[in-house]
Amino acid sequence: MRNAIKLTTAVLAAGALTFGLSACGSSGSDSASDTSGPLVVAASPTPHAEILNYVKENLAKKAGLDLEVKEFTDYVTPNTATEDGSVGANYFQNQPYLDDFNKKRGTHIVPVVTVHLEPLGLYSHKVKSADALKSGATVAVPNDSVNEARALKLLDANGIITLKDGVGNEATPSDIAKNPKNLTFKELEAAQTPRSLDDVDAAVVNGNYAIEADLKPATDALVLESAKSNPYGNFLAVKDGNEDDPRVKKLAKLLTSAEVKKFIEDKYAGSVLASF
């Protein structure tokens, strides 16, 4: 059993405008201000919390690190909780997503060290290949701006659609220049995309949510992102100014250790790739 605190989407929704305070159960305390206490890290359940719990159970004690892992099922609360000090760090996101989040919400989160990549993939319960998608098929994509653009770029890279020239990390279906299969796009919260597979013809699913849904990106995806020169590596992040926290430095070193690399390779068999 994981030594972590799971927060459900229903619980998170109750405090939509005050994300970090109530969701983390901090009662106004600032876990990032006392560097003598445990380092509390917000993380997505898979694979982030699993990797952190491996560190907690096998490496942290020897390194003199008191580590506490809190699991979140959304992509907002980990950053807002890090910003307000309810947690000391987070581990769940990539650089394009963070840049967009900081810009739109006025937060000051910065990366510390990149740990792994979760390849984005196109999955289906109805067809065995992308070529088999019928005209007018419905494809679910994540609805947050960065992951939606990433999904559309995946489809573009595999010749399923063609995006307009110069489209960046805020691409939407309106930026599609050619859609030869006349696909319809259903925009859903990223966590909902694997659950939609019985209702749509295909879905583009983030790697962590694919693994949670017992999908194997390395073998089940119709098309899959390449790891080569990929800007979407996931990293440990903190509020700007906390990079030199000795607890954060210890965790960064452990997360990029040979032991963690072997754990990732053995546990995820190519569905998660170490980035160090």
Side-chain angles (χ1 to χ4, degrees):
M1 183 177 292
R2 298 177 188 158
N3 295 320
I5 299 173
K6 272 194 177 178
L7 300 181
T8 66
T9 303
V11 172
L12 293 171
L17 297 179
T18 56
F19 301 98
L21 293 174
S22 59
C24 295
S26 63
S27 300
S29 62
D30 188 339
S31 67
S33 62
D34 180 8
T35 59
S36 65
L39 177 63
V40 183
V41 183
S44 297
T46 306
H48 310 80
E50 292 175 345
I51 294 170
L52 287 169
N53 279 319
Y54 170 80
V55 170
K56 175 180 176 136
E57 294 162 10
N58 297 276
L59 306 174
K61 184 175 180 181
K62 185 177 179 180
L65 175 64
D66 187 0
L67 179 63
E68 181 180 343
V69 183
K70 288 192 174 184
E71 296 185 15
F72 293 84
T73 59
D74 74 313
Y75 283 171
V76 174
T77 316
N79 273 338
T80 55
T82 303
E83 178 75 12
D84 69 26
S86 300
V87 301
N90 68 56
Y91 174 33
F92 77 100
Q93 66 192 317
N94 57 55
Q95 191 67 59
Y97 178 83
L98 177 60
D99 290 343
D100 181 71
F101 192 97
N102 279 335
K103 179 181 178 180
K104 290 181 176 177
R105 293 180 178 261
T107 47
H108 308 85
I109 312 301
V110 296
V112 176
V113 65
T114 301
V115 181
H116 76 268
L117 171 72
E118 303 160 25
L120 198 75
L122 177 70
Y123 300 86
S124 177
H125 286 172
K126 299 178 180 178
V127 297
K128 299 295 184 182
S129 70
D131 290 340
L133 286 170
K134 296 179 179 179
S135 179
T138 299
V139 178
V141 294
N143 66 2
D144 64 274
S145 59
V146 170
N147 281 305
E148 182 169 49
R150 185 180 175 190
L152 295 174
K153 287 180 178 180
L154 172 68
L155 300 180
D156 175 89
N158 286 275
I160 300 168
I161 61 171
T162 301
L163 291 171
K164 296 174 183 176
D165 290 341
V167 170
N169 290 325
E170 295 184 355
T172 70
S174 65
D175 294 305
I176 296 173
K178 295 180 182 179
N179 185 0
K181 289 183 178 288
N182 196 29
L183 300 176
T184 298
F185 293 93
K186 187 173 184 178
E187 297 166 304
L188 300 172
E189 183 183 351
Q192 300 296 324
T193 53
R195 303 171 198 171
S196 74
L197 283 169
D198 289 332
D199 303 315
V200 299
D201 296 290
V204 180
V205 183
N206 291 70
N208 59 317
Y209 292 130
I211 296 166
E212 287 178 21
D214 293 324
L215 296 168
K216 297 177 175 60
T219 56
D220 293 342
L222 305 183
V223 297
L224 192 67
E225 275 184 326
S226 170
K228 185 177 180 181
S229 302
N230 196 302
Y232 296 103
N234 284 205
F235 46 69
L236 179 70
V238 298
K239 186 174 182 179
D240 190 16
N242 292 336
E243 302 94 319
D244 291 330
D245 182 327
R247 302 168 303 170
V248 171
K249 287 186 171 182
K250 286 179 182 178
L251 180 57
K253 184 176 181 179
L254 294 176
L255 282 172
T256 53
S257 65
E259 293 91 339
V260 166
K261 185 173 185 178
K262 186 176 187 304
F263 172 78
I264 291 173
E265 291 172 347
D266 292 348
K267 184 171 180 63
Y268 301 110
S271 296
V272 176
L273 307 172
S275 298
F276 55 91

